[in-house]
Amino acid sequence: MRNLSVVISGLLLPTGCLYVMNKAQPWSETIAANPLRVERGAYLVERVAACFNCHPSANNAKMSRYFGRTREIPGKIYAPNISADPETGIGNWTDGQLSRAIREGVDNNDEALFPIMPYGSYSAISDEDVRSIIVYLRSLPAWQTRVPERQIAFPMSLLINLLPQPVKGPLNAPDRRDLIKDGGYIAAVAGCVTCHTPLNWRGPDTSHSYAGGWKFVLADEKAEVISPNITADPQFGIGSWTDGQLKYALQSGRRPDGKLLRAPMPWQSYAGMTEADMVSLLAFLRTIPPLRPATGSM
Ligand code: HEC
Ligand code: HEC
């Protein structure tokens, strides 16, 4: 049945008929590479945004986390190769196309990306940080990984075209002295909200931001992992955790009860965040208002 609906949606909605609402032209800027940008980009990609937690990497070129096969996502979505390989990666994309994909969720064929790519959250990334991310990606040796075509069933295949929003620049990172704003920025670059917000048939359920409930089917298809509620709710969320427990979970992958946090929670990346960023992140997380889980999720 499910396969049938994928096939039918494919027939009724060939990709040419889909178009993205609110699509902006890509930046015309060509980004200059320099060592500072490579260094900042390496930190953001490897330690904060954890791009290779989903995308195939040099060390793990076969790994593409795929999402789907759940009630909410009848289909399969693969994280593609974002190395500079011209055939299977982004080697032929312009810098503007890349920054638009990252912050606005529109690919080089003008198609909307599925919102597990955290572009809703990445839309806050500053102009300078997106430059650094792109410079770092292009500085890596290319690898060849071709992922299968995505399949998204109707109606989501159509509705995702409503999600991309143009970035209204110029965008700067907030003042670092404001811990909560700084932490909010780090959380946005980390995409916490994307994984910790439930998805319904129209996309992210923003009335339940951070309330958890996204079901991930792990690649071996043997296990399902549901993202937990990370709001300040003492019963459903992490309101009763101490700062120390929260920091320990983010850096060592252990919950207060000793259970290890499984993929796709990228704590191994966060373990390498700077102390200053971790302090701000914790300050921000504490300000997320308590919310109960969405009915139907969990
Ligand atoms: C939580 C998983 C996840 C994370 C983290 C993530 N991505 Fe993605 N990304 C995806 C998925 C899945 C797609 C494909 C979506 C689709 O096919 O509709 C994608 C698509 C893309 C694309 C479009 C590629 C193409 O060939 O169409 C680019 C570029 C991209 N991501 C860059 C990045 C960068 C840079 C980062 C880190 C700053 C990042 N992504 C972090 C899951 C992720
Ligand atoms: C790619 C998806 C993804 C991203 C990005 C992500 N998480 Fe998670 N997170 C998960 C999943 C899934 C779990 C549950 C793991 C398990 O049950 O083993 C989890 C677990 C947690 C937990 C443990 C909560 C509990 O009750 O057990 C905390 C705290 C947490 N995440 C905070 C964060 C923060 C803060 C960020 C951003 C800095 C973040 N997560 C980014 C998917 C993600």
Side-chain angles (χ1 to χ4, degrees):
M1 237 358 247
R2 197 171 269 170
N3 284 343
L4 189 65
S5 72
V6 171
V7 171
I8 292 174
S9 67
L11 288 176
L12 293 177
L13 301 163
T15 39
C17 292
L18 305 176
Y19 71 100
V20 178
M21 305 285 292
N22 294 322
K23 177 166 55 64
Q25 285 301 312
W27 258 4
S28 54
E29 175 174 332
T30 304
I31 301 168
N34 64 44
L36 270 180
R37 284 185 175 154
V38 175
E39 194 187 330
R40 173 76 179 156
Y43 175 68
L44 294 172
V45 166
E46 307 288 349
R47 294 313 189 175
V48 186
C51 312
F52 298 125
N53 178 41
C54 297
H55 290 277
S57 67
N59 300 333
N60 206 352
K62 292 223 164 58
M63 196 280 294
S64 160
R65 228 175 259 300
Y66 85 74
F67 304 90
R69 294 258 175 106
T70 61
R71 182 166 51 88
E72 298 82 359
I73 321 170
K76 283 190 171 189
I77 295 101
Y78 301 84
N81 182 359
I82 54 169
S83 83
D85 182 55
E87 274 167 53
T88 64
I90 49 82
N92 290 332
W93 294 40
T94 64
D95 290 337
Q97 286 173 326
L98 267 177
S99 77
R100 189 177 67 167
I102 296 168
R103 296 195 297 187
E104 301 176 30
V106 179
D107 75 6
N108 64 336
N109 298 318
D110 287 351
E111 284 180 33
L113 297 173
F114 188 78
I116 185 56
M117 165 64 192
Y119 56 87
S121 181
Y122 292 169
S123 61
I125 298 180
S126 74
D127 295 343
E128 187 47 32
D129 279 345
V130 86
R131 290 184 186 108
S132 296
I133 288 171
I134 292 169
V135 164
Y136 174 66
L137 287 180
R138 293 206 194 278
S139 78
L140 296 172
W143 50 92
Q144 285 218 321
T145 308
R146 195 182 293 282
V147 301
E149 286 282 310
R150 72 176 183 187
Q151 301 172 326
I152 308 176
F154 179 81
M156 200 175 247
S157 53
L158 200 59
L159 291 167
I160 59 167
N161 292 293
L162 301 172
L163 299 176
Q165 295 294 330
V167 161
K168 291 182 193 72
L171 274 193
N172 296 310
D175 185 342
R176 296 227 60 177
R177 283 166 303 184
D178 184 332
L179 278 199
I180 292 172
K181 280 208 180 119
D182 185 46
Y185 181 72
I186 291 155
V189 182
C192 318
V193 71
T194 300
C195 289
H196 285 277
T197 297
L199 195 73
N200 61 30
W201 58 279
R202 284 182 307 189
D205 173 4
T206 48
S207 67
H208 287 88
S209 292
Y210 295 103
W214 182 306
K215 192 192 283 175
F216 295 92
V217 179
L218 296 187
D220 61 10
E221 303 212 26
K222 293 201 184 82
E224 284 179 359
V225 183
I226 296 175
S227 64
N229 184 324
I230 57 167
T231 72
D233 189 285
Q235 188 190 347
F236 295 102
I238 53 168
S240 64
W241 296 22
T242 64
D243 283 353
Q245 286 172 327
L246 189 51
K247 187 175 177 194
Y248 189 67
L250 294 175
Q251 292 183 326
S252 309
R254 297 259 172 211
R255 297 159 39 97
D257 64 10
K259 274 207 208 124
L260 196 64
L261 298 178
R262 292 160 293 172
M265 170 64 191
W267 59 267
Q268 289 94 336
S269 295
Y270 305 155
M273 261 190 206
T274 63
E275 183 63 20
D277 282 359
M278 185 53 75
V279 167
S280 298
L281 177 62
L282 292 174
F284 166 75
L285 291 174
R286 290 307 189 188
T287 68
I288 300 172
L291 274 179
R292 294 171 157 254
T295 43
S297 68
M298 307 298 281

